[in-house]
């Protein structure tokens, strides 16, 4: 799971999907296409294969149902409806991604995750929600399409200037503020998942 978080990020910034990588960028944005997308999906599914094996071996029926639901939600969010395919898929992506994040809270109970890692996840989640709200408010005030909507290609959204064109016309102050909010979103998202993965096995007993 650590590899599925950071390997695609490295591949994205090696220009294996975009000629001009965006920074800061969310996980969803960096894995939306190309080699980073394939790498993420392969590594993420490998991680879940280990988790499913654990749940089958040591979980009860409800735990196995939950694991199946969680991986299905994740597949819907990042594989079936990646960011930037269409306005409808973006909505599904954001809803499923939110549900997948909330599933981690229930997973804490099954994995007996130590409090310090739970606190890191909750702190990252709160920071992510707050940063997203501030970013969306700033983008709306500046007339800029959000990261996801800037990639819509279904033609249903109202016409708007390309994000890059609007950014070029911003003052240095506005660009710095926007970049700061984007950075907060990025580091909060990476932080919450890193905290969770670091604590995944910390509360499990070692019996075979």
């Amino acid at each position: 799971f650590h590899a599925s978080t950071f390997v695609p990020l490295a591949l994205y910034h090696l220009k294996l999907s975009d000629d001009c990588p965006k920074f800061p960028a969310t996980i969803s944005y960096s894995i939306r296409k190309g080699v980073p997308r394939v790498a993420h999906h392969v590594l993420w599914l490998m991680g879940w294969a280990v988790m499913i094996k654990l749940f089958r071996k040591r979980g009860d029926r409800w735990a196995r149902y939950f694991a199946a639901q969680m991986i299905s939600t994740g597949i819907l969010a990042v594989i079936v409806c990646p960011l930037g395919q269409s306005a409808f898929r973006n909505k599904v992506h954001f809803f499923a991604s939110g549900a997948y994040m909330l599933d981690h809270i229930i997973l804490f109970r099954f994995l007996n995750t130590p409090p310090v890692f739970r606190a890191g996840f909750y702190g990252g989640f709160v920071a992510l929600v707050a940063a997203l709200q501030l970013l969306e408010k700033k983008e709306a005030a500046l007339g800029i399409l959000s990261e996801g909507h800037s990639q819509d290609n279904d033609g249903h959204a109202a016409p708007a200037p390309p994000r890059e064109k609007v950014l070029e016309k911003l003052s240095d102050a506005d660009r710095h503020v926007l970049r700061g909010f984007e950075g907060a979103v990025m580091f909060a998202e990476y932080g919450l998942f890193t905290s969770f993965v670091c604590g995944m096995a910390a509360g499990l007993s070692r019996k075979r």
Side-chain angles (χ1 to χ4, degrees):
F1 283 116
H2 276 311
S4 73
T5 300
F6 293 104
V7 170
L9 177 65
L11 295 174
Y12 173 70
H13 285 286
L14 287 173
K15 301 182 180 181
L16 296 180
S17 60
D18 288 343
D19 292 333
C20 296
K22 179 180 180 293
F23 184 85
T26 61
I27 295 173
S28 296
Y29 190 87
S30 61
I31 66 167
R32 74 195 190 287
K33 63 180 182 179
V35 175
R37 180 184 181 187
V38 174
H40 171 271
H41 293 355
V42 170
L43 293 167
W44 184 76
L45 289 171
M46 288 174 63
W48 264 108
V50 175
M51 286 292 292
I52 293 297
K53 182 179 179 180
L54 173 65
F55 272 87
R56 285 180 174 175
K57 184 176 181 180
R58 297 177 59 178
D60 59 19
R61 179 178 62 178
W62 297 111
R64 292 192 292 271
Y65 284 161
F66 170 77
Q69 175 275 137
M70 187 170 178
I71 189 174
S72 297
T73 302
I75 288 173
L76 178 63
V78 299
I79 298 179
V80 178
C81 295
L83 189 67
Q85 299 300 307
S86 70
F88 174 73
R89 285 191 175 187
N90 277 349
K91 291 178 182 178
V92 174
H93 170 82
F94 289 123
F95 177 81
S97 294
Y100 183 74
M101 287 185 184
L102 292 175
D103 275 339
H104 286 71
I105 297 173
I106 302 174
L107 195 55
F108 283 145
R109 180 168 173 266
F110 289 116
L111 299 179
N112 193 32
T113 304
V116 63
F117 297 109
R118 299 191 190 201
F121 179 89
Y122 291 138
F125 186 80
V126 171
L128 176 63
V129 172
L132 279 171
Q133 291 180 336
L134 291 171
L135 176 60
E136 290 176 358
K137 184 177 180 179
K138 186 65 176 179
E139 287 174 333
L142 296 173
I144 300 174
L145 289 174
S146 67
E147 185 179 74
H149 289 126
S150 67
Q151 297 294 318
D152 287 349
N153 57 20
D154 63 356
H156 295 305
R163 182 182 176 90
E164 293 74 15
K165 294 295 184 182
V166 179
L167 291 175
E168 290 175 0
K169 299 178 181 179
L170 294 181
S171 66
D172 288 341
D174 282 334
R175 275 197 296 269
H176 289 322
V177 170
L178 198 64
R179 195 176 185 85
F181 288 151
E182 289 179 331
V185 169
M186 177 181 178
F187 289 111
E189 182 183 33
Y190 277 91
L192 72 88
F193 282 120
T194 298
S195 181
F196 177 83
V197 176
C198 285
M200 284 182 74
L204 296 176
S205 62
R206 301 301 177 182
K207 65 180 181 179
R208 296 183 180 274

